[in-house]
Amino acid sequence: MKPLPCVLTIAGSDSGGGAGIQADLKSISMAGCYGASAITALTAQNTTGVTGIEAVSPEFVSLQIETVCNDIKVRAAKTGMLFSAPIIRAVGESLRDKDFPLVIDPVCVATSGAKLLKDDAVEAMKDIFPLADLLTPNVPEAELFTGMEIKSREDVFRAIDILLEMGPKAVLIKGGHFDSVAATDWLGIKDRQPIPLMQQRVKTRNSHGTGCTLSATIASGLAKGYDMITAVRKAQEYLNLALRAGFDLGEGSGPPNHLAPMLIEKMKQGLLSDLHEFGLRLKCMDGLNELIPEVRMNVAAALPCAGGIEDVAAFSGRVSCSRKGEVMVCGHPEFGASTHIAKVLLCARKSNPEIGCAAGLRLDERIMDSVAECGYVEAWFDRADEPGEVLGSEESTLEWGTCKAMSEHPEPEMVDVVCDSGAKGVEPCLRLLAKDFDDLEVKLRKLLAAMPV
């Protein structure tokens, strides 16, 4: 087998496993690289905080770095928690003649608030910035090293200029601390206009170790030969997925789910199989043909951490019926097969993450009477209210309409159906929401049983 590119991480150990060396090695492995390490400090910590730090001697930190580099071809390196001025100087001296890209993550404070950099180490940290191919401070760290407040886009640009003057080839100011709908990281490269790199913001308390994860993954990308922008973008995508797939580990702030890409591949196969089985049940459901609209029906199912239509499975040929009422499931289950019902599902999940499935159904008086009889909670949108800047495609209309209907409902987490009465040349439809396939089947059968004769 071809050797994997080696990435060296120089950082502190996190006994809780969510940040530091542990997060770095997980991220490096998931990026398809080989991880080596030089430990700068031991920490006693969990999800709620750091209870103790034991620093490694500067001489032994240097010995770890030199021993690894003397035997193994290092393709990239990153630094994390360096803790003290003597350790920082030792690391700088060991890397002075490096022939590989270096990412410096100037870790100062843990997610829990514990200080991870001694006061006398700030100036020493600045001294090693010229070794960095990329510097990755968050906003508080950038403020510390520049001595300025960062509140606006103009402040970010000024801070990048100041940091670049300190010697790194590029600076990535991470935007997680800004209060905005999207999370925007700003990449500044010498002699170029700063580049905004946006990602969907993830609502989660489990953000312990995000900086370590990002910087280790960027270093892995550089080790594989990616240019800086590509390495950062791919690292952002990985971190965003890991945050969406995160889970509660302890009482405090847990880590991203570093194994997310591998686990999701397994989930995808299971979801496609479940959707296929559900299609077989639909074909045997008496009276279902009465719920199938003229534009045909589709069923969408989302992965637990779905971020886009590529994470939503549907039938590639939709669900149709013959004149005699025979239900036909056309095509096969496939991710990204639907844009319309997938957008509805993704928008509904923003208001209620428990929703995992959706089906597009006919809307007429009989069916709405059945909806009322079942006690299903309705949310409506009117296509006539669609803003001019949204107008364009049915996909964008459904995305706008579903978000509007859910956000304006007093209890969006209770909504069962999202309805619109159509428009000229557009058939009225309702979208039935459910937690999973079993819940969707129960709701469909209940709807059919309540249909007026």
Side-chain angles (χ1 to χ4, degrees):
M1 181 178 287
K2 186 177 179 181
L4 301 176
C6 178
V7 178
L8 172 63
T9 169
I10 306 164
S13 170
D14 174 3
S15 59
I21 289 288
Q22 287 82 348
D24 290 345
L25 293 177
K26 293 171 190 174
S27 303
I28 292 166
S29 295
M30 288 306 300
C33 293
Y34 176 82
S37 64
I39 298 177
T40 59
L42 306 177
T43 68
Q45 65 177 297
N46 54 27
T47 63
T48 62
V50 180
T51 58
I53 300 175
E54 288 284 346
V56 176
S57 71
E59 295 77 15
F60 196 72
V61 172
S62 293
L63 183 60
Q64 293 177 76
I65 297 170
E66 291 162 10
T67 302
V68 170
C69 293
N70 286 341
D71 179 54
I72 301 171
K73 178 61 177 177
V74 174
R75 297 291 182 183
K78 65 143 290 187
T79 67
M81 173 191 177
L82 299 182
F83 188 59
S84 69
I87 292 176
I88 293 169
R89 285 193 285 268
V91 169
E93 183 62 27
S94 296
L95 296 177
R96 182 180 57 185
D97 298 321
K98 68 179 179 66
D99 59 356
F100 47 77
L102 173 66
V103 177
I104 292 181
D105 182 12
V107 178
C108 298
V109 180
T111 303
S112 62
K115 288 185 66 176
L116 300 179
L117 188 68
K118 285 187 172 181
D119 292 337
D120 66 349
V122 174
E123 291 304 315
M125 182 68 79
K126 291 180 183 178
D127 290 341
I128 67 167
F129 284 178
L131 295 174
D133 291 79
L134 179 67
L135 185 69
T136 63
N138 57 30
V139 170
E141 289 162 351
E143 290 178 332
L144 173 66
F145 290 111
T146 60
M148 61 173 286
E149 273 195 324
I150 301 175
K151 301 295 182 184
S152 65
R153 179 176 178 272
E154 290 70 25
D155 292 339
V156 170
F157 281 30
R158 184 173 165 226
I160 287 174
D161 286 340
I162 294 172
L163 291 169
L164 285 173
E165 285 297 316
M166 295 180 187
K169 294 178 182 175
V171 174
L172 182 72
I173 294 185
K174 297 172 289 188
H177 287 76
F178 287 126
D179 185 16
S180 58
V181 176
T184 303
D185 298 334
W186 288 91
L187 177 61
I189 301 174
K190 280 188 177 181
D191 302 321
R192 295 179 62 175
Q193 185 82 354
I195 304 167
L197 301 174
M198 298 175 66
Q199 283 286 310
Q200 173 187 338
R201 186 175 292 277
V202 181
K203 288 182 64 177
T204 177
R205 68 170 186 164
N206 298 317
S207 58
H208 179 53
T210 51
C212 306
T213 300
L214 184 70
S215 56
T217 311
I218 294 171
S220 299
L222 296 175
K224 293 164 76 172
Y226 298 155
D227 63 77
M228 185 62 71
I229 296 174
T230 302
V232 173
R233 284 191 184 278
K234 285 184 176 291
Q236 283 183 315
E237 291 168 5
Y238 168 66
L239 176 58
N240 193 270
L241 173 60
L243 285 168
R244 298 199 311 270
F247 54 90
D248 291 339
L249 183 64
E251 297 299 318
S253 175
N257 187 346
H258 294 96
L259 298 181
M262 181 179 70
L263 297 174
I264 283 171
E265 281 306 309
K266 290 185 177 180
M267 287 183 195
K268 282 186 173 182
Q269 296 307 312
L271 189 62
L272 291 175
S273 177
D274 290 346
L275 182 54
H276 172 74
E277 292 296 323
F278 186 69
L280 297 178
R281 301 207 298 271
L282 287 178
K283 292 170 69 173
C284 301
M285 194 176 293
D286 290 339
L288 182 65
N289 60 294
E290 296 196 53
L291 298 180
I292 298 176
E294 292 295 326
V295 293
R296 295 177 293 167
M297 166 187 174
N298 212 336
V299 175
L303 291 167
C305 49
I309 61 174
E310 68 279 0
D311 300 322
V312 180
F315 294 110
S316 59
R318 304 191 189 183
V319 180
S320 189
C321 64
S322 68
R323 289 185 178 183
K324 295 181 179 180
E326 177 188 9
V327 174
M328 298 173 289
V329 177
C330 306
H332 54 273
E334 184 180 309
F335 282 94
S338 163
T339 53
H340 297 173
I341 194 67
K343 285 290 187 180
V344 169
L345 179 55
L346 290 169
C347 289
R349 284 169 57 83
K350 291 178 183 178
S351 296
N352 183 3
E354 295 296 313
I355 295 170
C357 297
L361 308 179
R362 181 192 301 274
L363 189 156
D364 60 26
E365 189 173 340
R366 288 180 67 232
I367 292 172
M368 291 314 300
D369 286 344
S370 181
V371 167
E373 179 67 23
C374 292
Y376 292 163
V377 178
E378 305 168 24
W380 287 77
F381 67 90
D382 188 340
R383 290 170 181 262
D385 296 333
E386 186 176 2
E389 61 269 21
V390 176
L391 286 168
S393 67
E394 180 68 2
E395 174 188 338
S396 59
T397 297
L398 291 176
E399 183 175 22
W400 162 81
T402 304
C403 289
K404 177 179 174 63
M406 295 292 287
S407 64
E408 292 182 352
H409 196 279
E411 295 180 297
E413 69 281 356
M414 302 299 293
V415 171
D416 297 296
V417 291
V418 176
C419 314
D420 81 277
S421 53
K424 184 177 181 180
V426 180
E427 183 182 10
C429 284
L430 67 83
R431 291 92 195 171
L432 182 63
L433 310 176
K435 292 181 180 180
D436 50 36
F437 291 120
D438 289 340
D439 186 35
L440 184 56
E441 182 173 2
V442 167
K443 286 185 171 181
L444 284 169
R445 291 189 181 279
K446 187 176 177 182
L447 195 61
L448 290 169
M451 288 274 285
V453 178

